[in-house]
Amino acid sequence: MRGGAGGAARGAAALGSVATLLLAAWLVWLLPGPQLAAVLGFGPVDGVVTIAECHEAADVEGYAAGTQCKGRYTPVRGGAGPQEEILLETAAQEHRPGSEVEVRTARGKAYELSGFAVGNLGVATGLLLVPFLALAAWLAACARRGGAVDGGGFVLAALAAMVAVVVLGAAAGLLVGLFTALF
């Protein structure tokens, strides 16, 4: 009887680990994924924004949210198709009015490669993933053992990973910001 209960526990833990990873992937795709893909430049350019104005933006709590620019968006596909007003979220710099910026769009906003955006979205994605990855690792350890495993080490690893995510996100943002400023 003991072998059957251990096998069931292993199967449930393994299934829980896979379900946790699938949930994490779905949440990343649902929440910061499209914006992160647009900022990092995955896929072809969607269109061009002709800048009307730029300003330093603040979030709801008053903290700096990077440079935002407004302008007329012209999609690449369809030639000189319909133009509409669009927000260039977390621009790489304050663009001069009349300048044209190639962008990728996600959720009704335009994005370009920007250090501030890479840092923010990278940290948000990492902080979203770390708890799920720690839980999936703990469940996988439980599946290997066939029963509950002490989770203290997994909690400490998750806390260390969250600190690493913030540091690496800031470093990536600085490097991208430096790269876009130089090139």
Side-chain angles (χ1 to χ4, degrees):
M1 189 67 146
R2 177 89 173 129
R10 285 182 181 177
L15 183 63
S17 180
V18 170
T20 301
L21 292 174
L22 289 174
L23 178 62
W26 179 73
L27 283 173
V28 166
W29 175 75
L30 183 71
L31 298 173
Q35 293 94 327
L36 186 60
V39 165
L40 292 175
F42 293 136
V45 171
D46 292 333
V48 175
V49 174
T50 305
I51 302 297
E53 67 169 320
C54 290
H55 63 278
E56 288 298 316
D59 65 8
V60 178
E61 296 169 349
Y63 296 106
T67 302
Q68 290 183 342
C69 300
K70 290 181 181 177
R72 302 298 278 167
Y73 172 72
T74 305
V76 171
R77 290 171 186 77
Q83 294 187 345
E84 58 185 41
E85 183 86 12
I86 197 167
L87 180 67
L88 174 56
E89 187 80 20
T90 57
Q93 63 186 9
E94 258 193 64
H95 298 286
R96 290 185 328 268
S99 61
E100 292 184 344
V101 180
E102 290 184 338
V103 297
R104 289 165 180 81
T105 57
R107 298 203 171 112
K109 294 182 182 175
Y111 294 91
E112 69 174 334
L113 183 62
S114 156
F116 192 83
V118 167
N120 278 350
L121 291 169
V123 168
T125 303
L127 291 178
L128 178 67
L129 280 176
V130 165
F132 287 100
L133 295 176
L135 178 60
W138 177 75
L139 287 169
C142 291
R144 280 192 306 275
R145 182 167 181 227
V149 174
D150 180 30
F154 293 97
V155 171
L156 289 176
L159 291 174
M162 286 185 177
V163 171
V165 160
V166 171
V167 170
L168 292 173
L174 287 173
L175 287 174
V176 169
L178 182 62
F179 176 78
T180 56
L182 293 175
F183 302 102

